[in-house]
Amino acid sequence: MKQRVVVTGMGVAAPNALGLENFHDAIRAGRSGIRFLEELREKKFGCCIGGVPPLDEELKAGHFTPLELRQIKAHNLLYGILAADEAWNDAGLERQADSPTDWESGCVFGAGLSGVRAIRDSVYFIDSGQVKRMGGTAATQIMPSGISALLGGRFGLGNWVMTNASACSTGTEAIRLAAEHIRAGRARRMLCGAAETDGPYLWGGFDAMRVLTRKFNDRPEQGSRPMSATASGFVPGGGAGALVLESLPSARERGARIYSEVAGGYSNAGGHRDGGSMTAPGREGIERCIRGALEHAGVSAGEIDLISGHLTATRGDPGEIHCWSRALDRRGERFPCINSLKSMIGHCLSAGGAIESVALILQLVHGFAHPSINCEDPHPGITSVIDPECIPGKAREIPGMKVAAKSSFGFGDVNSVLIFRAFDKS
Amino acid sequence: MTRQDISEQLREIVRPFVQDEEALAQLSEDTHLVNDLAINSTDVVDIILDVEDRFRIEIDDEDAENMVTVRSALDLIEAKVRDRPSKPS
């Protein structure tokens, strides 16, 4: 039996804020989390700016036990646990170490790369003949599924527990996988999202590809410029976003607060044809993914009030706008409001879709569109299709917002689109 | 270094891995690391690394397998520390 799926909890560790309340304030205000990072300069990166969640030693000591801090050094794991703990608590659920296994709850939590600093340390130990110095947790910090494995134990989850990896569409895909699992009646509740590490050992490959901006090292907060004519590459970021999804009966039974409904979604790939490649999405694939998501959600193109784009501040931004315009058959002033959270937090890679989904649901619930900053000079290839007013430069109230869409495209020409709908109690 | 010194340092090494404060308070030479302190095998691996660093000794696999109680750990560390080559001056 098909179940309606609702969001009952959210949590976030983003470069511009830790925690939902701070994050809500930050995205409304258009606050940038992009900073100059000395470590990147020392290592001679072209791009020396990035988005790192503001997690200091004091905050860590307040949230994690000394043993956890000793055994969990990987940043993606720390961010993922922070976001997941907040989402679980926000959903009104308790975490007890001795609770029985919950066979009806599971977890899909994505990763890009896990424990890259543990990998680095391990390489040195192994190459100097000291394999045992790796210690007892290198293996579990390095394995990609480290994050879902840890969360499964943290909350006593006995349903499907897995990690997905689809590059930059990972976070959006994780939410879709979890929602479909509930919709199919296979679980009551799923914790889902994605967590990404940060720093030079993950970002180096992107710097070498020259897809990161090199022109804003002296003006970090202006560096991430989605949809701008002066965009010159993305700014890398790290962090995590988490949602608790439940079947509507499960949420109602326990009187949970419902943020929104996951109306539907779609994932596909472009097959590296029609402009698609290992590093770029093909247009036909994107359009099909958008249309597929609308159809699955039972939503018409005209109903979309707000789009949270993939929009990374690379040459791909105008192409994405064209795809949305064609798929929705909406142009000029008739195009919906569109923004990119990456303008404030950079591109958090695998976690991007998860953090951006948390932001999108906050906007849907509170009836506003956050500003898409650094786009005072929209790209002419974008304004030839949509009215520049569609891109909010300041927070814009959208009272009575009903439908919002999230798109994410990943290396390998893989796409995911989600449709969220304001919860209708009827 | 007396056995008492070693014992106190061992307690500090083990402390972060023990959730049960009471069990740690009652630590004696008969205490079994896994059974009484609920330390798992992953933690034992990390404890051995800490012991090696703290006492500047090396514990091979066979020795590690015999480190099951506080007494056997102290015996082992005591013997290794005694045999430790003195630093060249």
Side-chain angles (χ1 to χ4, degrees), chain A residues 67 70-71 132-133 135-136, chain B residues 42-43 46 50 52-53 59:
Chain A
L67 183 61
R70 199 195 138 96
Q71 298 191 325
K132 77 173 182 181
R133 299 295 307 175
Chain B
T42 302
D43 297 339
D46 287 344
D50 283 3
E52 288 185 327
D53 288 345
I59 295 173

Side-chain angles (χ1 to χ4, degrees), chain A residues 91-131:
Chain A
L93 299 165
E94 282 183 35
R95 177 165 78 89
Q96 288 169 326
D98 54 354
S99 62
T101 299
D102 177 357
W103 304 106
E104 291 298 317
S105 296
C107 172
V108 179
F109 223 88
L113 186 59
S114 190
V116 65
R117 284 177 198 265
I119 295 173
R120 176 186 180 274
D121 292 347
S122 299
V123 168
Y124 283 113
F125 286 135
I126 292 166
D127 284 353
S128 59
Q130 303 183 80
V131 65

Side-chain angles (χ1 to χ4, degrees), chain A residues 43-85:
Chain A
K43 296 193 190 306
K44 299 181 183 169
F45 272 53
C47 172
C48 301
I49 61 176
V52 175
L55 182 58
D56 60 26
E57 295 306 315
E58 195 183 335
L59 272 161
K60 277 197 224 171
H63 193 90
F64 296 95
T65 66
L67 183 61
E68 284 168 344
L69 284 181
R70 199 195 138 96
Q71 298 191 325
I72 307 173
K73 295 218 161 55
H75 287 187
N76 65 313
L77 303 179
L78 294 174
Y79 301 149
I81 290 171
L82 274 178
D85 281 358

Side-chain angles (χ1 to χ4, degrees), chain A residues 256-382:
Chain A
R257 176 257 337 267
I258 294 173
Y259 281 114
S260 78
E261 184 166 0
V262 185
Y266 201 78
S267 295
N268 73 351
H272 300 206
R273 305 286 188 275
D274 185 35
S277 69
M278 274 303 284
T279 54
R283 293 191 175 191
E284 176 73 18
I286 294 178
E287 288 178 42
R288 283 174 177 268
C289 194
I290 294 167
R291 289 198 206 97
L294 290 174
E295 190 183 332
H296 182 246
V299 162
S300 71
E303 287 179 89
I304 293 194
D305 298 305
L306 175 63
I307 298 167
S308 167
H310 183 60
L311 300 171
T312 58
T314 55
R315 282 177 298 181
D317 291 358
E320 181 183 349
I321 301 291
H322 285 240
C323 289
W324 274 106
S325 176
R326 273 200 299 270
L328 301 180
D329 193 23
R330 293 171 68 176
R331 294 174 63 87
E333 291 173 6
R334 290 178 47 248
F335 193 80
C337 193
I338 187 163
N339 57 16
S340 173
L341 186 68
K342 294 184 180 78
S343 63
M344 295 179 235
I345 66 170
H347 188 354
C348 299
L349 303 169
S350 71
I355 300 171
E356 291 157 20
S357 289
V358 171
L360 187 59
I361 295 163
L362 284 172
Q363 294 169 89
L364 182 58
V365 169
H366 297 283
F368 75 104
H370 68 65
S372 208
I373 65 170
N374 298 323
C375 190
E376 57 285 344
D377 57 345
H379 195 286
I382 289 173

Side-chain angles (χ1 to χ4, degrees), chain B residues 64-77:
Chain B
E65 276 174 33
N66 293 328
M67 251 180 73
V68 290
T69 62
V70 169
R71 177 171 293 115
S72 58
L74 291 177
D75 289 345
L76 180 70
I77 297 166

Side-chain angles (χ1 to χ4, degrees), chain A residues 216-269:
Chain A
F216 291 88
N217 290 339
D218 57 339
R219 293 164 289 160
E221 297 193 352
Q222 295 170 36
S224 187
R225 312 180 63 75
M227 296 183 279
S228 156
T230 46
S232 55
F234 76 80
V235 176
L243 301 181
V244 173
L245 305 185
E246 295 190 60
S247 70
L248 182 56
S250 166
R252 282 206 164 127
E253 194 178 293
R254 63 186 194 89
R257 176 257 337 267
I258 294 173
Y259 281 114
S260 78
E261 184 166 0
V262 185
Y266 201 78
S267 295
N268 73 351

